[in-house]
Amino acid sequence: MATATVLAMPGHGVACKPNTNNNFFSKASSATGTVNMNWRCRSTAAMATMTVVKRETAREKAEAEDDWMAYLSPEKVDVLAQLEPWAEAHVLPLLRSADTAWQPSDMLPDPAALGADGFHAACVELRERAAGVPDAHLVCLVGNMITEEALPTYQSVPNRFEGVRDLTGADGTAWARWIRGWSAEENRHGDVLSRYLYLSGRVDTGAVDRTVHRLIASGMAMNAARSPYHGFIYVAFQERATAISHGNTARHAGEHGDDVLARVCGAIMADEKRHEAAYTRVVGKLFEVDPDAAVRAFAYMMRRRITMPAALMTDGRDDDLYAHYAAAAQQTGVYTAADYRSIVEHLIRQWRVEELAAGLSGEGRRARDYVCGLPRKIRRMEEKAHDRAAQARKKPTPIPFSWIFDRPVSVVLP
């Protein structure tokens, strides 16, 4: 989960923040050596200084758009159509039916089954165990739940991919049935976490509900949003990241004595790993049938980073809510920069990128080399960031979270 970084323009001393309305991160300009972003600054002088950078960004963004738009050609879209029988045989079997999948009612106290007294006793026990979960971990859990609850946005993501979209909402293609079945399974995740948090009595449900509402209304920004090559790479990465986050939450919950939460998050993690397997298979097949296009799409997405789906979350009060939530996740070990690197390393191995040779163009070879060199670069950046943090000896900053009644959580901000 990449956190927003607050910088100051040289010579102005004016704090400038990345524009949260535009999550496009462009490559460093070879001419200026600067990283091109869109910024919002209150200083007129700073705005004038950034004008050149914005022009650079617009040019590079146009070039990048031309790059991924080529993936919408009939030839590329037909690749997905030709893979439909393969998807029927190798992707759809990874779904679970409503009768075989776990349901939220299996995980939490059921008043109809337990009766009034039994339900009350079960809820008291659940609250006692939930009380042992530290606030920092609770904030991460709420953030994960809010992310899961924005499912309407996520179902729309693969429905933008050319060649696999569910055009009528009830198409019988393998791709359309996967999208609906995947969404049905994902729907249980937000439901069970929301019910758990409600029963725990530890969160301001109104503040949480309003954050969910705002996140769905805000949507999410995604690079190359209509390309199935780029899109499936994005979702494969996201599913693994989500599995890691829920898995770490399950482990932490167990360490703090909340076996119910550990079971819930463990079940979600298992789902996410199965979904990851499906999307990884799809991309692996694209690497098999169209390696040059696949590796170039992989490099494209990595150059622009994988933007987390909840990056636009806000509670209406904290403009940096996502950054604060991400800082809590980093500090608690729920999801860290090292996890991001490990996912890149895993996907390189999974798709055997280093072994690619036959069928690659010059651009494809450059993309392969770039991707394969990324883990080493990210590790160096981690080491430098760690050294800078050690030298700066930054003290934790108490951040109040509306989700937990404005109780402060101390986090180290970047």
Side-chain angles (χ1 to χ4, degrees), residues 105 107-132 194-202 258-261:
S105 55
M107 298 286 181
L108 299 171
D110 182 352
L114 296 173
D117 292 342
F119 179 67
H120 175 73
C123 287
V124 168
E125 182 180 355
L126 184 148
R127 289 190 176 205
E128 289 175 349
R129 292 182 180 276
S194 179
R195 293 182 200 180
Y196 167 85
L197 288 168
Y198 178 81
L199 292 175
S200 76
R202 292 196 59 196
D258 192 337
D259 56 343
V260 172
L261 180 58

Side-chain angles (χ1 to χ4, degrees), residues 193-412:
L193 291 174
S194 179
R195 293 182 200 180
Y196 167 85
L197 288 168
Y198 178 81
L199 292 175
S200 76
R202 292 196 59 196
V203 301
D204 184 336
T205 54
V208 172
D209 290 344
R210 287 187 290 273
T211 306
V212 172
H213 189 131
R214 289 187 174 95
L215 178 57
I216 296 173
S218 296
M220 62 176 281
M222 180 177 162
N223 291 308
R226 292 167 53 203
S227 164
Y229 285 72
H230 300 74
F232 282 130
I233 289 168
Y234 175 87
V235 184
F237 192 107
Q238 279 297 340
E239 292 288 4
R240 186 167 184 84
T242 308
I244 289 171
S245 182
H246 286 299
N248 286 333
T249 303
R251 177 170 53 81
H252 295 152
E255 291 170 352
H256 292 287
D258 192 337
D259 56 343
V260 172
L261 180 58
R263 182 182 175 215
V264 165
C265 292
I268 296 173
M269 176 195 68
D271 279 354
E272 302 292 10
K273 289 181 75 67
R274 186 161 39 82
H275 298 163
E276 176 207 340
Y279 288 113
T280 302
R281 283 185 192 179
V282 173
V283 179
K285 193 65 176 178
L286 291 175
F287 267 97
E288 179 184 324
V289 301
D290 196 358
D292 190 68
V295 74
R296 287 189 290 111
F298 193 13
Y300 180 103
M301 296 302 284
M302 291 298 99
R303 284 192 176 102
R304 285 148 189 84
R305 306 180 190 176
I306 298 294
T307 305
M308 295 298 137
L312 299 182
M313 71 162 56
T314 177
D315 60 357
R317 291 168 34 187
D318 184 355
D319 289 340
D320 295 315
L321 178 59
Y322 178 78
H324 294 153
Y325 154 57
Q330 171 76 29
Q331 188 163 309
T332 57
V334 168
Y335 186 83
T336 70
D339 291 321
Y340 187 99
R341 170 178 47 78
S342 75
I343 295 172
V344 176
E345 291 172 332
H346 171 81
L347 294 179
I348 289 171
R349 290 193 302 270
Q350 191 73 23
W351 296 328
R352 304 172 72 175
V353 179
E354 290 183 338
E355 301 173 24
L356 294 177
L360 293 191
S361 63
E363 188 176 351
R365 289 192 294 273
R366 288 189 292 273
R368 175 201 59 197
D369 295 343
Y370 168 78
V371 168
C372 292
L374 265 181
R376 186 169 56 256
K377 292 178 182 177
I378 296 173
R379 188 183 294 275
R380 283 202 302 267
M381 291 171 62
E382 288 175 19
E383 292 170 351
K384 290 179 180 178
H386 183 271
D387 291 343
R388 285 196 301 270
Q391 291 174 3
R393 296 182 180 178
K394 285 188 175 181
K395 294 182 179 179
T397 301
I399 302 295
F401 282 87
S402 64
W403 304 335
I404 55 173
F405 303 100
D406 288 320
R407 294 195 301 273
V409 171
S410 293
V411 297
V412 176

Side-chain angles (χ1 to χ4, degrees), residues 32 38 61 70 96 102 105 175 187 265 277:
T32 64
N38 269 343
K61 187 174 182 180
R96 298 290 180 266
W102 63 265
S105 55
W175 297 118
N187 184 63
C265 292

Side-chain angles (χ1 to χ4, degrees), residues 29 33 36 88 121 143-144 178 206 210 225 250 274 293 328 341 407:
S29 164
N36 300 328
E88 181 85 37
N144 287 351
W178 166 263
R210 287 187 290 273
R274 186 161 39 82
R341 170 178 47 78
R407 294 195 301 273

